[in-house]
Amino acid sequence: MKIAVIGATGLVGNATVLELAARGHQVSAFARHSDKVAKADNIQAIATDVNADDFAEKLIGFDAVVSAFNPGWDNPNLAADFKKGANSIVEAAKTAKVRYLLVIGGAGSLNIAPNLQLVDSSDFPAEVYPGANAARELLNNLKARRDLNWAFLSPAAMFAVNPVRFERTGKYRVGKDDVLLDAQGAPADISVADLACAIADDVEQQRHLQQRFTVAELS
């Protein structure tokens, strides 16, 4: 397949590029700093700004597009920059008639109880809230759209909260709108490599059209 990855040098984007390339796909890796993109014969590094006027033109012709866009958790304007960039990506995908846009969002919009999302829980970190809430707003906007072939992946709730794990098992669980729990009943984790496997599997199979789903390690 011919697949584009936006945010190709970030934690999730880089792992996704490597996984897709290892599977033999033709990967176009979009990043602000293309020199940092992983190197392989089937990886094309493309320097780009998602807010550029011509961005939509660059998304034409792909079998799938993965958006791992994130302005950076240490960005003081994270929420505003995320909203602007994410909206630009969504509109560009619509204009380019992207066949399948998989957006990698946060876990904050997952349910931990009836009518209670993780981002609204009393112990949710205040410093993470603006970015997590912006991702939730993006999901809510996507849910109302039928003019775009979107899907939205929320990683396991503990992903990148604990020290990031990189081991690859190629196995994971899939859920829908609720936080997945581990064997002890606590929110589950997933390694970045297994998250990349889940991303690659979904863009190959395109099973979650106009749906949100979540993935976590096997309990």
Side-chain angles (χ1 to χ4, degrees):
M1 295 174 68
K2 185 180 179 183
I3 302 170
V5 178
I6 302 168
T9 58
L11 177 67
V12 175
N14 178 65
T16 301
V17 168
L18 292 173
E19 178 68 25
L20 290 169
R23 296 184 184 202
H25 298 296
Q26 295 297 318
V27 183
S28 292
F30 291 88
R32 278 187 173 273
H33 303 288
S34 59
D35 58 306
K36 297 181 180 179
V37 170
K39 305 295 191 297
D41 290 343
N42 56 338
I43 298 173
Q44 179 185 12
I46 302 174
T48 192
D49 178 357
V50 299
N51 296 309
D53 292 339
D54 65 345
F55 182 61
E57 298 174 16
K58 298 182 178 181
L59 298 185
I60 295 172
F62 288 102
D63 297 305
V65 175
V66 178
S67 176
F69 170 76
N70 188 325
W73 286 106
D74 56 352
N75 180 345
N77 299 312
L78 170 60
D81 288 349
F82 177 86
K83 182 176 181 178
K84 181 180 179 181
N87 288 343
S88 177
I89 291 167
V90 167
E91 293 307 318
K94 177 187 174 182
T95 299
K97 296 181 172 59
V98 166
R99 297 179 185 179
Y100 193 77
L101 171 67
L102 176 58
V103 176
I104 314 305
S109 57
L110 292 169
N111 300 320
I112 59 172
N115 300 314
L116 179 62
Q117 294 180 335
L118 180 61
V119 72
D120 293 324
S121 60
S122 59
D123 57 351
F124 193 82
E127 66 275 13
V128 180
Y129 181 87
N133 186 57
R136 172 172 62 176
E137 290 178 348
L138 172 61
L139 173 60
N140 289 338
N141 290 338
L142 287 171
K143 284 180 176 179
R145 300 188 69 146
R146 291 295 179 267
D147 59 345
L148 179 71
N149 295 328
W150 65 270
F152 189 100
L153 172 55
S154 290
M158 297 306 291
F159 174 69
V161 175
N162 296 318
V164 178
R165 292 163 38 212
F166 292 91
E167 71 275 13
R168 185 187 187 283
T169 69
K171 300 176 181 179
Y172 53 89
R173 292 176 286 152
V174 179
K176 186 167 176 55
D177 292 313
D178 297 332
V179 168
L180 295 175
L181 306 178
D182 63 18
Q184 289 71 46
D189 194 3
I190 191 168
S191 73
V192 65
D194 283 344
L195 176 59
C197 285
I199 292 168
D201 287 346
D202 191 68
V203 297
E204 289 175 341
Q205 301 161 10
Q206 302 186 6
R207 289 183 174 178
H208 294 96
L209 180 63
Q210 296 178 343
Q211 298 177 46
R212 186 265 291 280
F213 66 106
T214 184
V215 294
E217 64 187 350
L218 297 181
S219 57

